[in-house]
Protein backbone atom coordinates (compact mmCIF):
# COMPACT_ATOMS: atom_id res chain seq x y z
CA UNK A 1 0.00 0.00 0.00
CA UNK A 2 0.98 3.63 -0.40
CA UNK A 3 0.65 5.99 2.55
CA UNK A 4 0.22 9.46 1.07
CA UNK A 5 1.33 12.26 3.41
CA UNK A 6 -0.31 15.70 3.26
CA UNK A 7 1.78 18.50 1.72
CA UNK A 8 2.00 20.12 5.19
CA UNK A 9 3.09 16.97 7.06
CA UNK A 10 6.26 17.20 9.12
CA UNK A 11 9.38 15.04 9.22
CA UNK A 12 8.40 13.84 12.71
CA UNK A 13 4.99 12.69 11.41
CA UNK A 14 6.68 10.89 8.55
CA UNK A 15 9.10 9.15 10.93
CA UNK A 16 6.19 8.09 13.12
CA UNK A 17 4.38 6.50 10.15
CA UNK A 18 7.54 4.70 9.09
CA UNK A 19 8.05 3.36 12.62
CA UNK A 20 4.46 2.16 12.92
CA UNK A 21 4.46 0.46 9.52
CA UNK A 22 7.82 -1.18 10.26
CA UNK A 23 6.47 -2.51 13.56
CA UNK A 24 3.67 -4.16 11.54
CA UNK A 25 6.37 -6.14 9.73
CA UNK A 26 6.35 -4.24 6.43
CA UNK A 27 9.31 -2.77 4.56
CA UNK A 28 9.07 0.96 3.91
CA UNK A 29 10.40 3.05 1.05
CA UNK A 30 10.11 6.82 1.37
CA UNK A 31 9.55 8.54 -1.96
CA UNK A 32 9.81 12.31 -1.97
CA UNK A 33 7.92 13.72 -4.94
CA UNK A 34 7.81 17.33 -6.05
CA UNK A 35 4.71 18.24 -4.03
CA UNK A 36 4.28 15.44 -1.49
CA UNK A 37 5.98 12.53 0.17
CA UNK A 38 4.63 8.99 0.11
CA UNK A 39 5.62 5.89 2.03
CA UNK A 40 5.41 2.67 0.06
CA UNK A 41 4.82 -0.17 2.51
CA UNK A 42 5.37 -3.64 1.08
CA UNK A 43 5.42 -7.16 2.45
CA UNK A 44 3.07 -9.58 4.18
CA UNK A 45 0.02 -7.51 5.11
CA UNK A 46 -1.56 -9.97 7.58
CA UNK A 47 -0.60 -7.95 10.66
CA UNK A 48 -1.39 -4.57 9.15
CA UNK A 49 -3.87 -2.28 10.84
CA UNK A 50 -4.79 0.22 8.14
CA UNK A 51 -6.99 2.31 10.42
CA UNK A 52 -4.11 2.89 12.84
CA UNK A 53 -2.01 4.25 9.99
CA UNK A 54 -4.86 6.32 8.59
CA UNK A 55 -5.29 7.97 12.01
CA UNK A 56 -1.68 9.12 12.21
CA UNK A 57 -1.02 12.84 11.97
CA UNK A 58 0.04 14.03 8.54
CA UNK A 59 -1.52 11.09 6.68
CA UNK A 60 -3.84 12.07 3.84
CA UNK A 61 -4.88 8.64 2.58
CA UNK A 62 -3.88 5.04 1.98
CA UNK A 63 -3.96 3.73 -1.56
CA UNK A 64 -3.51 0.03 -2.46
CA UNK A 65 -0.84 -0.81 -5.02
CA UNK A 66 -2.59 -2.84 -7.70
CA UNK A 67 0.42 -3.96 -9.74
CA UNK A 68 2.15 -7.18 -8.61
CA UNK A 69 5.44 -5.25 -8.59
CA UNK A 70 5.22 -2.46 -6.03
CA UNK A 71 8.31 -0.28 -5.59
CA UNK A 72 9.18 -0.67 -9.28
CA UNK A 73 5.72 0.57 -10.19
CA UNK A 74 4.60 4.00 -11.34
CA UNK A 75 1.78 3.74 -8.83
CA UNK A 76 4.38 4.34 -6.11
CA UNK A 77 6.56 6.82 -7.98
CA UNK A 78 5.42 8.86 -10.95
CA UNK A 79 8.71 10.58 -11.70
CA UNK A 80 11.20 8.66 -13.76
CA UNK A 81 14.20 7.31 -11.86
CA UNK A 82 17.45 8.84 -13.03
CA UNK A 83 20.42 6.66 -12.15
CA UNK A 84 23.87 8.20 -11.74
CA UNK A 85 26.44 5.78 -13.13
CA UNK A 86 29.15 7.41 -11.00
CA UNK A 87 28.56 9.95 -8.22
CA UNK A 88 27.82 13.25 -9.96
CA UNK A 89 28.67 11.69 -13.35
CA UNK A 90 26.74 10.49 -16.39
CA UNK A 91 23.13 9.41 -15.86
CA UNK A 92 20.57 7.02 -17.35
CA UNK A 93 16.87 7.85 -17.45
CA UNK A 94 16.93 11.58 -18.14
CA UNK A 95 16.74 13.39 -21.46
CA UNK A 96 20.28 12.37 -22.27
CA UNK A 97 20.96 8.89 -23.61
CA UNK A 98 23.71 6.78 -22.11
CA UNK A 99 25.72 4.70 -24.56
CA UNK A 100 27.89 1.95 -23.14
CA UNK A 101 30.40 0.09 -25.28
CA UNK A 102 33.11 -2.49 -24.86
CA UNK A 103 34.00 -6.08 -25.53
CA UNK A 104 31.96 -9.11 -24.61
CA UNK A 105 34.85 -10.21 -22.38
CA UNK A 106 37.99 -8.56 -21.07
CA UNK A 107 40.74 -10.51 -22.84
CA UNK A 108 43.89 -8.51 -22.06
CA UNK A 109 44.98 -5.20 -20.52
CA UNK A 110 45.80 -3.74 -23.93
CA UNK A 111 42.49 -4.84 -25.45
CA UNK A 112 40.32 -3.16 -22.84
CA UNK A 113 42.43 0.00 -22.65
CA UNK A 114 42.42 0.39 -26.45
CA UNK A 115 38.65 -0.12 -26.66
CA UNK A 116 38.02 2.27 -23.78
CA UNK A 117 39.92 5.12 -25.47
CA UNK A 118 38.23 4.44 -28.80
CA UNK A 119 34.67 4.39 -27.51
CA UNK A 120 35.30 7.40 -25.29
CA UNK A 121 36.41 9.36 -28.36
CA UNK A 122 33.16 8.31 -30.06
CA UNK A 123 31.06 9.62 -27.16
CA UNK A 124 30.32 6.60 -24.96
CA UNK A 125 29.84 7.19 -21.23
CA UNK A 126 30.22 3.60 -20.05
CA UNK A 127 32.67 0.76 -20.60
CA UNK A 128 31.43 -2.84 -20.57
CA UNK A 129 33.44 -6.06 -20.40
CA UNK A 130 32.91 -9.39 -18.70
CA UNK A 131 35.54 -10.65 -16.26
CA UNK A 132 33.32 -13.52 -15.12
CA UNK A 133 31.58 -14.93 -18.18
CA UNK A 134 28.45 -17.10 -17.93
CA UNK A 135 29.20 -19.44 -20.84
CA UNK A 136 26.85 -22.11 -22.13
CA UNK A 137 29.75 -24.55 -22.48
CA UNK A 138 32.23 -25.20 -19.67
CA UNK A 139 34.94 -25.50 -22.33
CA UNK A 140 34.46 -21.93 -23.60
CA UNK A 141 36.55 -18.96 -22.39
CA UNK A 142 35.35 -18.17 -18.86
CA UNK A 143 36.94 -14.73 -18.43
CA UNK A 144 40.02 -13.37 -16.66
CA UNK A 145 38.28 -13.12 -13.26
CA UNK A 146 39.85 -10.62 -10.84
CA UNK A 147 42.70 -9.76 -13.22
CA UNK A 148 40.04 -8.70 -15.71
CA UNK A 149 38.48 -6.46 -13.07
CA UNK A 150 41.84 -4.79 -12.48
CA UNK A 151 42.24 -4.08 -16.20
CA UNK A 152 38.70 -2.73 -16.37
CA UNK A 153 39.23 -0.41 -13.42
CA UNK A 154 42.44 0.88 -14.99
CA UNK A 155 40.68 1.52 -18.32
CA UNK A 156 37.83 3.25 -16.51
CA UNK A 157 40.23 5.47 -14.62
CA UNK A 158 42.23 6.36 -17.71
CA UNK A 159 39.14 7.46 -19.64
CA UNK A 160 36.58 8.54 -17.03
CA UNK A 161 34.13 5.95 -18.39
CA UNK A 162 31.77 4.23 -15.92
CA UNK A 163 32.68 0.54 -15.72
CA UNK A 164 29.95 -2.11 -16.14
CA UNK A 165 30.69 -5.75 -15.45
CA UNK A 166 28.77 -8.90 -14.64
CA UNK A 167 28.44 -10.62 -11.28
CA UNK A 168 27.64 -14.33 -11.25
CA UNK A 169 27.52 -15.05 -7.53
CA UNK A 170 26.59 -13.32 -4.29
CA UNK A 171 30.28 -13.26 -3.31
CA UNK A 172 31.10 -11.36 -6.51
CA UNK A 173 28.89 -8.43 -5.49
CA UNK A 174 31.31 -7.11 -2.90
CA UNK A 175 34.48 -7.90 -4.84
CA UNK A 176 33.24 -6.47 -8.14
CA UNK A 177 32.00 -3.37 -6.32
CA UNK A 178 35.63 -2.59 -5.47
CA UNK A 179 36.49 -2.26 -9.17
CA UNK A 180 33.32 -1.43 -11.11
CA UNK A 181 30.77 1.39 -11.10
CA UNK A 182 27.75 -0.67 -12.16
CA UNK A 183 27.06 -4.35 -11.40
CA UNK A 184 25.49 -6.28 -14.25
CA UNK A 185 23.14 -9.18 -13.62
CA UNK A 186 22.91 -11.22 -16.80
CA UNK A 187 19.94 -12.83 -18.51
CA UNK A 188 20.80 -16.25 -17.09
CA UNK A 189 20.64 -14.91 -13.55
CA UNK A 190 17.59 -12.66 -13.77
CA UNK A 191 15.71 -14.97 -11.43
CA UNK A 192 18.61 -15.84 -9.15
CA UNK A 193 16.81 -14.32 -6.21
CA UNK A 194 19.70 -14.61 -3.74
CA UNK A 195 21.92 -12.75 -6.20
CA UNK A 196 19.26 -10.06 -6.70
CA UNK A 197 19.10 -9.61 -2.93
CA UNK A 198 22.87 -9.35 -2.64
CA UNK A 199 22.97 -6.75 -5.42
CA UNK A 200 20.25 -4.86 -3.56
CA UNK A 201 22.30 -4.81 -0.39
CA UNK A 202 25.31 -3.05 -1.92
CA UNK A 203 25.48 0.54 -3.03
CA UNK A 204 26.49 0.46 -6.71
CA UNK A 205 23.79 0.76 -9.41
CA UNK A 206 22.64 -2.48 -11.01
CA UNK A 207 22.09 -3.22 -14.70
CA UNK A 208 19.46 -5.97 -14.77
CA UNK A 209 19.18 -7.83 -18.06
CA UNK A 210 15.92 -9.48 -19.04
CA UNK A 211 15.89 -13.25 -18.84
CA UNK A 212 15.65 -14.87 -22.23
CA UNK A 213 12.20 -16.27 -21.51
CA UNK A 214 11.02 -13.72 -18.93
CA UNK A 215 7.71 -11.91 -19.22
CA UNK A 216 7.55 -8.19 -18.44
CA UNK A 217 6.01 -8.96 -15.06
CA UNK A 218 8.77 -11.41 -14.16
CA UNK A 219 11.36 -8.85 -15.29
CA UNK A 220 9.88 -6.12 -13.10
CA UNK A 221 9.48 -8.48 -10.14
CA UNK A 222 13.19 -9.27 -10.44
CA UNK A 223 13.91 -5.52 -10.29
CA UNK A 224 11.59 -5.36 -7.30
CA UNK A 225 13.90 -7.74 -5.37
CA UNK A 226 16.84 -5.38 -5.82
CA UNK A 227 14.92 -2.25 -4.85
CA UNK A 228 13.24 -4.00 -1.95
CA UNK A 229 16.63 -5.04 -0.62
CA UNK A 230 17.61 -1.36 -0.42
CA UNK A 231 19.04 -0.35 -3.79
CA UNK A 232 16.78 1.95 -5.85
CA UNK A 233 19.35 2.38 -8.65
CA UNK A 234 18.22 -0.26 -11.10
CA UNK A 235 18.63 0.05 -14.86
CA UNK A 236 16.66 -2.46 -16.92
CA UNK A 237 18.06 -3.89 -20.14
CA UNK A 238 16.11 -5.50 -22.99
CA UNK A 239 18.54 -7.97 -24.60
CA UNK A 240 16.21 -10.08 -26.71
CA UNK A 241 14.16 -13.15 -25.92
CA UNK A 242 14.10 -16.68 -27.29
CA UNK A 243 11.52 -17.26 -29.98
CA UNK A 244 11.03 -19.79 -32.81
CA UNK A 245 13.20 -17.53 -34.99
CA UNK A 246 16.68 -18.98 -35.49
CA UNK A 247 17.95 -16.40 -37.93
CA UNK A 248 18.74 -13.93 -35.17
CA UNK A 249 20.45 -15.05 -31.98
CA UNK A 250 17.52 -13.58 -30.01
CA UNK A 251 14.46 -11.53 -30.90
CA UNK A 252 14.98 -7.98 -29.64
CA UNK A 253 11.61 -7.16 -28.10
CA UNK A 254 11.42 -3.40 -28.54
CA UNK A 255 7.72 -3.24 -27.73
CA UNK A 256 8.60 -3.89 -24.10
CA UNK A 257 10.23 -0.43 -23.91
CA UNK A 258 7.03 1.66 -24.11
CA UNK A 259 5.21 -1.05 -22.12
CA UNK A 260 7.69 -0.78 -19.24
CA UNK A 261 7.69 2.99 -19.43
CA UNK A 262 3.93 2.94 -18.98
CA UNK A 263 3.99 0.92 -15.76
CA UNK A 264 7.42 1.55 -14.21
CA UNK A 265 9.62 4.54 -13.37
CA UNK A 266 12.83 2.59 -13.98
CA UNK A 267 15.09 3.48 -16.90
CA UNK A 268 15.46 0.87 -19.64
CA UNK A 269 18.25 0.49 -22.16
CA UNK A 270 18.62 -1.94 -25.07
CA UNK A 271 21.36 -4.42 -25.96
CA UNK A 272 21.25 -4.78 -29.76
CA UNK A 273 24.38 -6.97 -29.74
CA UNK A 274 22.92 -9.94 -27.82
CA UNK A 275 19.49 -8.94 -29.11
CA UNK A 276 20.45 -9.75 -32.71
CA UNK A 277 23.73 -11.70 -32.59
CA UNK A 278 24.96 -10.21 -35.87
CA UNK A 279 27.27 -7.20 -36.19
CA UNK A 280 25.48 -5.89 -39.28
CA UNK A 281 22.14 -5.76 -37.43
CA UNK A 282 23.47 -3.78 -34.48
CA UNK A 283 23.23 -0.32 -36.02
CA UNK A 284 19.64 -0.64 -37.35
CA UNK A 285 18.52 -2.26 -34.08
CA UNK A 286 20.21 0.55 -32.11
CA UNK A 287 18.40 3.23 -34.11
CA UNK A 288 15.10 1.40 -33.66
CA UNK A 289 15.62 1.06 -29.89
CA UNK A 290 16.30 4.78 -29.49
CA UNK A 291 13.32 5.63 -31.69
CA UNK A 292 11.18 3.37 -29.47
CA UNK A 293 12.21 5.34 -26.39
CA UNK A 294 15.17 3.43 -24.89
CA UNK A 295 17.22 5.43 -22.40
CA UNK A 296 20.50 4.12 -23.75
CA UNK A 297 22.34 1.27 -25.43
CA UNK A 298 24.92 -1.30 -24.41
CA UNK A 299 26.94 -2.44 -27.42
CA UNK A 300 29.77 -4.93 -27.85
CA UNK A 301 32.90 -3.40 -29.37
CA UNK A 302 36.17 -5.28 -29.91
CA UNK A 303 39.43 -4.08 -31.53
CA UNK A 304 39.57 -7.27 -33.60
CA UNK A 305 36.12 -8.95 -33.59
CA UNK A 306 37.24 -11.89 -35.78
CA UNK A 307 39.65 -12.99 -33.07
CA UNK A 308 37.37 -12.36 -30.09
CA UNK A 309 37.30 -15.09 -27.42
CA UNK A 310 33.49 -14.87 -27.22
CA UNK A 311 30.59 -13.53 -29.30
CA UNK A 312 32.83 -12.82 -32.30
CA UNK A 313 29.94 -12.50 -34.74
CA UNK A 314 28.18 -9.65 -32.99
CA UNK A 315 31.01 -7.37 -31.89
CA UNK A 316 31.60 -4.09 -33.73
CA UNK A 317 34.98 -2.64 -34.62
CA UNK A 318 35.70 0.73 -33.00
CA UNK A 319 35.26 2.34 -36.45
CA UNK A 320 31.80 0.77 -36.90
CA UNK A 321 30.88 1.90 -33.39
CA UNK A 322 31.93 5.46 -34.21
CA UNK A 323 29.72 5.41 -37.31
CA UNK A 324 26.84 4.01 -35.28
CA UNK A 325 27.18 6.85 -32.79
CA UNK A 326 26.80 9.44 -35.54
CA UNK A 327 23.64 7.73 -36.81
CA UNK A 328 22.18 7.22 -33.35
CA UNK A 329 22.76 10.87 -32.54
CA UNK A 330 20.51 11.88 -35.44
CA UNK A 331 17.75 9.50 -34.35
CA UNK A 332 18.09 10.76 -30.76
CA UNK A 333 17.60 14.34 -31.90
CA UNK A 334 14.58 13.30 -33.96
CA UNK A 335 12.89 11.89 -30.85
CA UNK A 336 13.85 14.87 -28.69
CA UNK A 337 16.69 13.16 -26.85
CA UNK A 338 20.39 13.83 -26.92
CA UNK A 339 23.54 11.89 -26.28
CA UNK A 340 25.02 12.29 -22.78
CA UNK A 341 27.06 15.44 -22.18
CA UNK A 342 30.19 13.26 -22.28
CA UNK A 343 29.69 12.98 -26.02
CA UNK A 344 32.93 13.88 -27.77
CA UNK A 345 34.27 15.38 -24.55
CA UNK A 346 37.98 15.37 -23.88
CA UNK A 347 39.37 12.61 -21.69
CA UNK A 348 40.64 13.48 -18.20
CA UNK A 349 44.23 14.70 -18.26
CA UNK A 350 46.74 11.96 -17.30
CA UNK A 351 48.23 12.48 -13.83
C1 LIG B 1 26.74 -9.95 -21.57
O1 LIG B 1 26.23 -8.83 -21.67
O2 LIG B 1 27.96 -10.13 -21.52
C2 LIG B 1 25.86 -11.13 -21.50
C3 LIG B 1 26.34 -12.31 -21.13
O3 LIG B 1 24.60 -10.88 -21.87
P1 LIG B 1 23.23 -11.64 -21.49
O4 LIG B 1 23.26 -11.85 -20.00
O5 LIG B 1 22.18 -10.67 -21.93
O6 LIG B 1 23.22 -12.91 -22.27
MN1 LIG C 1 28.57 -11.21 -25.21
Amino acid sequence: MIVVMTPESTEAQLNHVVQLVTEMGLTTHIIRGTDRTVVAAVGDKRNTDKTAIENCGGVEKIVPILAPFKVASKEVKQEKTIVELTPGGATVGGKELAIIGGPCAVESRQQIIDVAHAIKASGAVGLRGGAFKPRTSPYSFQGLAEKGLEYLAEAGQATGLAVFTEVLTMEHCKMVGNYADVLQIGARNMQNFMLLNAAGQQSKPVLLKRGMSATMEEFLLAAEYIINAGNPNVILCERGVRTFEQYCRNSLNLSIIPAIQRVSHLPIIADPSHGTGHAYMVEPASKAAIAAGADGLIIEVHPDPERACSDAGQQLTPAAFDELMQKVKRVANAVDRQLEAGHKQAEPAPN
Side-chain angles (χ1 to χ4, degrees):
M1 66 188 153
I2 304 166
V3 185
V4 182
M5 304 300 289
T6 62
E8 307 78 39
S9 61
T10 64
E11 227 20 56
Q13 288 172 327
L14 177 69
N15 291 340
H16 179 72
V17 168
V18 168
Q19 192 190 342
L20 188 66
V21 172
T22 309
E23 280 169 18
M24 291 174 184
L26 300 179
T27 308
T28 57
H29 301 263
I30 301 173
I31 294 129
R32 295 175 197 273
T34 38
D35 59 336
R36 62 186 69 219
T37 298
V38 305
V39 181
V42 294
D44 185 343
K45 287 197 283 292
R46 272 174 297 186
N47 297 320
T48 308
D49 179 353
K50 266 194 186 168
T51 322
I53 305 168
E54 239 156 21
N55 288 341
C56 289
V59 171
E60 184 177 293
K61 60 181 172 185
I62 295 180
V63 187
I65 307 171
L66 300 175
F69 39 88
K70 311 290 178 192
V71 278
S73 156
K74 263 201 167 160
E75 291 179 55
V76 164
K77 182 170 174 267
Q78 282 290 319
E79 292 111 69
K80 185 116 182 229
T81 292
I82 298 181
V83 176
E84 281 186 352
L85 301 180
T86 53
T91 58
V92 184
K95 196 175 155 101
E96 295 181 321
L97 302 174
I99 315 290
I100 300 126
C104 180
V106 183
E107 296 169 6
S108 70
R109 179 175 174 273
Q110 205 55 52
Q111 174 233 26
I112 195 71
I113 287 180
D114 287 352
V115 175
H117 285 289
I119 63 162
K120 170 78 182 187
S122 300
V125 295
L127 174 67
R128 60 149 292 143
F132 298 99
K133 293 300 302 174
R135 304 306 302 281
T136 302
S137 164
Y139 309 118
S140 302
F141 176 61
Q142 303 286 313
L144 298 183
E146 197 159 1
K147 205 77 210 143
L149 297 177
E150 283 171 24
Y151 297 154
L152 269 171
E154 187 184 341
Q157 250 156 33
T159 53
L161 294 168
V163 170
F164 288 63
T165 198
E166 183 163 351
V167 288
L168 297 181
T169 67
M170 291 165 66
E171 294 72 36
H172 284 168
C173 289
K174 193 165 185 301
M175 189 228 286
V176 170
N178 293 331
Y179 297 96
D181 299 298
V182 180
L183 271 52
Q184 178 175 324
I185 295 188
R188 290 155 191 82
N189 272 315
M190 190 206 80
Q191 285 190 314
N192 181 340
F193 302 114
M194 303 288 270
L195 182 61
L196 298 174
N197 262 323
Q201 283 165 8
Q202 58 79 53
S203 59
K204 298 277 169 90
V206 179
L207 178 72
L208 178 66
K209 300 189 87 176
R210 181 183 182 182
M212 52 190 92
S213 66
T215 63
M216 179 174 82
E217 192 174 305
E218 289 163 344
F219 191 15
L220 286 169
L221 283 169
E224 184 90 4
Y225 269 92
I226 302 170
I227 305 172
N228 208 33
N231 188 347
N233 296 313
V234 179
I235 306 159
L236 302 171
C237 178
E238 163 58 34
R239 47 77 74 206
V241 289
R242 277 266 169 101
T243 67
F244 54 85
E245 180 56 80
Q246 307 272 295
Y247 192 73
C248 301
R249 181 179 181 185
N250 290 291
S251 294
L252 188 65
N253 179 206
L254 294 181
S255 49
I256 203 171
I257 293 170
I260 283 196
Q261 286 168 343
R262 174 176 281 210
V263 296
S264 175
H265 50 83
L266 295 174
I268 177 163
I269 67 169
D271 175 348
S273 305
H274 294 89
T276 63
H278 298 269
Y280 79 92
M281 296 179 187
V282 172
E283 185 196 298
S286 297
K287 291 187 288 196
I290 296 306
D295 295 303
L297 300 167
I298 183 163
I299 295 173
E300 288 192 341
V301 187
H302 192 287
D304 186 4
E306 283 181 358
R307 292 179 180 78
C309 295
S310 56
D311 287 354
Q314 69 190 35
Q315 305 209 53
L316 299 186
T317 60
F321 178 75
D322 192 62
E323 211 178 301
L324 174 148
M325 289 294 274
Q326 308 307 321
K327 305 269 176 62
V328 162
K329 193 176 173 189
R330 289 166 60 190
V331 177
N333 293 338
V335 294
D336 208 21
R337 303 289 288 268
Q338 60 205 45
L339 294 192
E340 258 286 354
H343 187 58
K344 295 278 182 197
Q345 235 180 30
E347 289 184 15
N351 45 27

